[in-house]
Amino acid sequence: MRAIFIADAHLRQPGDQNYRLLMEFLAGLRGNVDTLYILGDLFEFWIGYDPVPFTHYLPLLDRLRELVDSGVRIEYFEGNHDFHMGPFFTETLRATVHPGPAVIDIQGERFYLCHGDEVNRKDYPYRLLRFILHSSLTRAATRIVPPAVTCRIAVGMSRESRKNHGRRRHRWDYAAILRTFAAERFREGCRAVVAGHFHQPFIDRNDDGTVLLSLGDWLTHYTYGEWSDGTLSLKTYGTP
């Protein structure tokens, strides 16, 4: 079995480098991957309108549909830029959508998979924002708020998010927070923890066989995770 884990592409326009490289990468998965795990923030902004109003994402959605048609299963973990994924993902792609973290069995091993935005339990302002974004009230807004209005709000939120990311990075030791969080999951019986959100690519292999994989991103690092032949690894697109 071969599985791929990606997170934090924050895709915007098809002409952007990270968008083009991800399209290439996904094309190469056809026929040789069993499951694609998307651990949030694939999009700079997504909320599940029906039909899909975000025309700049149509090339990517077509590529995902090609993957599914080739036999690849998709499991999507919502992030803080993409939530309430909507009928395209649940019906057209027949993806399993997780609104939060989940323990997944992969070849008999317990994997704790998450976007990672709930790992820092002390970031109370963000936890409140996440609660609002993932609430049923926000989901209901897709029935009454036009997509153009939602997109304008999203642009402002994305701008603030980028500003706050720098401040948070100086305030919090994200790697240490993630390692402490992972240690708790290992004590609960998980073999591996895989997370995105922090944009820091690293992998810790512990003496007891547990593994922490921080996926990095598809913005500057172009890193992803791979499970193959019983081994979890961190890889960079374009390198052997």
Side-chain angles (χ1 to χ4, degrees), residues 68 73-76 88-97:
V68 170
R73 184 168 58 92
I74 294 177
E75 297 213 20
Y76 205 111
F88 182 85
F89 279 86
T90 57
E91 298 173 12
T92 303
L93 297 182
R94 303 183 301 280
T96 300
V97 176

Side-chain angles (χ1 to χ4, degrees), residues 112-139:
Y112 185 96
L113 305 182
C114 61
H115 175 57
D117 57 333
E118 294 182 281
V119 167
N120 187 0
R121 301 187 182 101
K122 294 183 179 180
D123 191 349
Y124 302 113
Y126 172 74
R127 291 175 69 84
L128 175 60
L129 175 62
R130 188 187 193 282
F131 173 79
I132 294 170
L133 293 177
H134 286 259
S135 70
S136 57
L137 182 63
T138 300
R139 178 184 299 175

Side-chain angles (χ1 to χ4, degrees), residues 70-90:
S70 74
V72 177
R73 184 168 58 92
I74 294 177
E75 297 213 20
Y76 205 111
F77 289 75
E78 294 180 348
N80 52 302
H81 287 252
D82 41 17
F83 37 85
H84 306 304
M85 301 309 296
F88 182 85
F89 279 86
T90 57

Side-chain angles (χ1 to χ4, degrees), residues 6-180:
I6 61 173
D8 295 284
H10 292 270
L11 298 178
R12 296 186 181 189
Q13 297 296 331
D16 295 341
Q17 179 177 348
N18 69 325
Y19 199 127
R20 291 185 287 103
L21 290 178
L22 186 60
M23 292 285 286
E24 293 177 8
F25 175 71
L26 294 176
L29 300 184
R30 289 198 299 263
N32 58 35
V33 167
D34 297 283
T35 307
L36 173 64
Y37 294 94
I38 302 173
L39 270 62
D41 288 3
L42 183 66
F43 308 96
E44 180 62 14
F45 175 75
W46 174 281
I47 189 169
Y49 281 96
D50 185 23
V52 175
F54 311 121
T55 57
H56 50 299
Y57 291 141
L58 294 182
L60 176 75
L61 300 180
D62 287 340
R63 184 59 43 87
L64 292 175
R65 182 158 34 197
E66 292 170 2
L67 274 180
V68 170
D69 290 343
S70 74
V72 177
R73 184 168 58 92
I74 294 177
E75 297 213 20
Y76 205 111
F77 289 75
E78 294 180 348
N80 52 302
H81 287 252
D82 41 17
F83 37 85
H84 306 304
M85 301 309 296
F88 182 85
F89 279 86
T90 57
E91 298 173 12
T92 303
L93 297 182
R94 303 183 301 280
T96 300
V97 176
H98 303 271
V103 176
I104 304 293
D105 184 281
I106 301 179
Q107 286 192 296
E109 303 286 357
R110 286 165 55 86
F111 277 60
Y112 185 96
L113 305 182
C114 61
H115 175 57
D117 57 333
E118 294 182 281
V119 167
N120 187 0
R121 301 187 182 101
K122 294 183 179 180
D123 191 349
Y124 302 113
Y126 172 74
R127 291 175 69 84
L128 175 60
L129 175 62
R130 188 187 193 282
F131 173 79
I132 294 170
L133 293 177
H134 286 259
S135 70
S136 57
L137 182 63
T138 300
R139 178 184 299 175
T142 61
R143 296 194 289 267
I144 56 176
V145 179
V149 174
T150 303
C151 286
R152 284 197 295 271
I153 295 172
V155 168
M157 291 179 64
S158 294
R159 189 180 300 116
E160 285 301 310
S161 177
R162 289 192 294 273
K163 291 179 183 177
N164 291 332
H165 179 72
R167 290 194 291 266
R168 288 191 175 101
R169 187 173 54 194
H170 289 293
R171 179 181 179 188
W172 307 102
D173 185 344
Y174 285 141
I177 291 170
L178 183 54
R179 287 180 171 119
T180 299

